[in-house]
Amino acid sequence: LQKLYASHTRFVYNFAGAGALALLRLHSIGGGSRGVLEASDLYSHAALQLAISDVEQWGIASLGNSATSQQAAVGLALHALSRANQLHDMEVKQGLYSYNTKSESESESASVDGNTS
């Protein structure tokens, strides 16, 4: 996770039920605020269907047989991508996002260690 957060990758995490354990793990170490834009537990069938209806333009029209279907997984991933793009664009317009996300203490420790990458 530290490598993920250091990579400046920012994401939206959508899950249903058991995925909450992964969210706990994402928040268990420092740096999560640099990566996680938003996380949503889309637990009910209605919540899942609403999220997937947001991405019908990509050809995902239903949950399929269940919330654990391939259609549901692809639909949630596309919904997360769409939402991440919305949030990123909003932050850029408001001047809240910068590619330089290293804190001063991280920069100092990187120079002390001789690792400037």
Side-chain angles (χ1 to χ4, degrees):
L1 286 178
Q2 290 172 339
K3 286 181 182 181
L4 173 65
Y5 294 152
S7 73
H8 307 293
T9 299
R10 304 175 81 216
F11 57 93
V12 168
Y13 176 53
N14 287 329
F15 58 96
L21 294 175
L23 179 62
L24 176 66
R25 180 73 197 254
L26 287 170
H27 289 305
S28 68
I29 65 167
S33 63
R34 286 178 284 173
V36 180
L37 291 167
E38 179 178 87
S40 299
D41 186 353
L42 303 167
Y43 198 69
S44 75
H45 186 80
L48 287 165
Q49 190 61 51
L50 186 61
I52 289 174
S53 71
D54 266 359
V55 295
E56 286 179 347
Q57 70 268 22
W58 286 305
I60 306 297
S62 74
L63 290 173
N65 295 331
S66 74
T68 58
S69 69
Q70 183 175 0
Q71 294 100 311
V74 171
L76 286 178
L78 291 172
H79 176 71
L81 176 63
S82 176
R83 184 71 174 153
N85 285 331
Q86 289 174 340
L87 293 170
H88 175 78
D89 291 348
M90 190 176 206
E91 287 185 346
V92 168
K93 285 178 185 172
Q94 295 174 357
L96 300 173
Y97 179 70
S98 167
Y99 286 102
N100 183 10
T101 58
K102 280 188 177 181
S103 69
E104 276 185 37
S105 62
E106 287 176 316
S107 297
E108 288 172 13
S109 67
S111 358
V112 169
D113 295 335
N115 180 4
T116 58
S117 59

